[in-house]
Amino acid sequence: MDWLFPFAVMVSLVLCLMGLGLPVAFAFFATNIAGLYLFFGGSVGVAQMIANFSDAVATYALTPLPLFLVMGSLFFRSGLGDGVIRALDLCIGGLRARLSYVVLAAGAVFSALSGSSIANTGMMGALMVPEMLKRGYKPRMAFGPVLGAGSLAVIIPPSTLAVLLGSLAQIDVGALLIAGAIPGLLLTLMFAALIFVQTLIDPESAPQYATERPARGAALKAVAVNIVPMGVIVFLVVGTIILGIATPTESAALGCAGVLGLLLAYRKFRWSVLWEALDDAMKVTGMTFLIISASTTFSQVFAFSGASAGFINTIVGFDPGPYTFLLLMILVIIILGMFMDQVSMMLITLPIFLPIAMHFQFDLVWFGLILLLTYEIGFTSPPFGLLLFIMLGVAPKGTSLSTVALAAAPYIACTLFLILLIILFPKIALFLPGLL
């Protein structure tokens, strides 16, 4: 059991430091330094950690990350999303709970244009929740669809979390991005069915009210003007990868160029918007690269100390079967998701889970997508789900965390059901990557 001491030191120290409120990157750096002195030769190990920095971030697979961040920030800061919401509202018409469907459809579109769950939830919550509550929607019908739609950005390409996971786990980033398209569409349809069932069981949860019928052709014109151009951006990002025309990096650059073209076409381009988008991307990219540098050294120390191999050999020795292990991994991530953000969970679990997945010869794209969906659940898991607190920020004063969490619970159940479907029918995840 020589591996148990380094395993316990590394894992418990990083968890304790994050529990004390230390930023993720600094918690990992502090743990790395302690591990390097204990297991890696002291100052020689620290010098090796510093040398790792450039190698860790100078990875071509990471290049789409800042580009996708710029694209999403340009889209949200420019106000292009307002036209999409108006067009979808005209299309859905007088359907019961129409605003819930508008939120869901707009969230799916925005996910394909931004890759950011936080931005999705913040924008949709601020725009739609006050209107829905004013119309008499019950909290679960106002908060739930926004939280569900926000979480779609984790798997619908271009997902920034998928780029980060692919880079850390050395999974084909393009394949992982494309793998989320069909599950993302399925999850959107599940959420729509959930809204329908909720209104069927409790019609008063979303009171129906008279809506103005749009003039003939107005809905068609709104779609042509506001939604079809967004479809071009989606093709530039996703379609070019599927067709083999562009790499993920090239498709991200095409997406940025496409959004800039739309800003010019709609006369929404301002230098201040461009500067703010670049500033947003720089801040997030800088912190992400710092975290990746820390994670790379953490994985190396973990392996060099024997903790990784010892843990895997011990666990595999129980031999409960590959799918039992997979379910245990999902359970661990769900529990961690109640207390940690997605990047922290990724950094802690990947060095442990990835070798086990490789031992059982799991398809890494399939396995990566299951991890992404499980990480997504953490966004809306109480007590520390990030999207829950974003929703509390836009909800009326006095709204409790339990109210928001209960609204999110059925959407979490839908995600768990989708994970089960992907485990039983891997082609759901692997069909599109197989076309690459």
Side-chain angles (χ1 to χ4, degrees), residues 10 40 297-309 351:
M10 297 288 287
F40 213 97
T297 305
F298 182 84
S299 298
Q300 288 178 350
V301 177
F302 211 66
F304 185 81
S305 66
S308 181

Side-chain angles (χ1 to χ4, degrees), residues 324-393:
T324 303
F325 271 122
L326 182 62
L327 293 175
L328 286 173
M329 288 187 245
I330 291 169
L331 181 62
V332 167
I333 293 174
I334 290 172
I335 294 170
L336 289 176
M338 298 177 183
F339 308 99
M340 289 184 180
D341 64 273
Q342 280 57 43
V343 175
S344 301
M345 284 192 288
M346 198 180 291
L347 296 181
I348 290 171
T349 55
L350 279 180
I352 301 171
F353 291 171
L354 198 61
I356 295 175
M358 295 173 73
H359 172 82
F360 287 115
Q361 298 182 337
F362 290 153
D363 184 289
L364 291 186
V365 173
W366 172 81
F367 179 68
L369 188 67
I370 290 172
L371 290 185
L372 278 175
L373 283 164
T374 314
Y375 292 137
E376 176 195 316
I377 292 171
F379 268 123
T380 48
S381 296
F384 296 117
L386 187 56
L387 298 189
L388 300 180
F389 288 97
I390 291 174
M391 183 55 61
L392 284 175

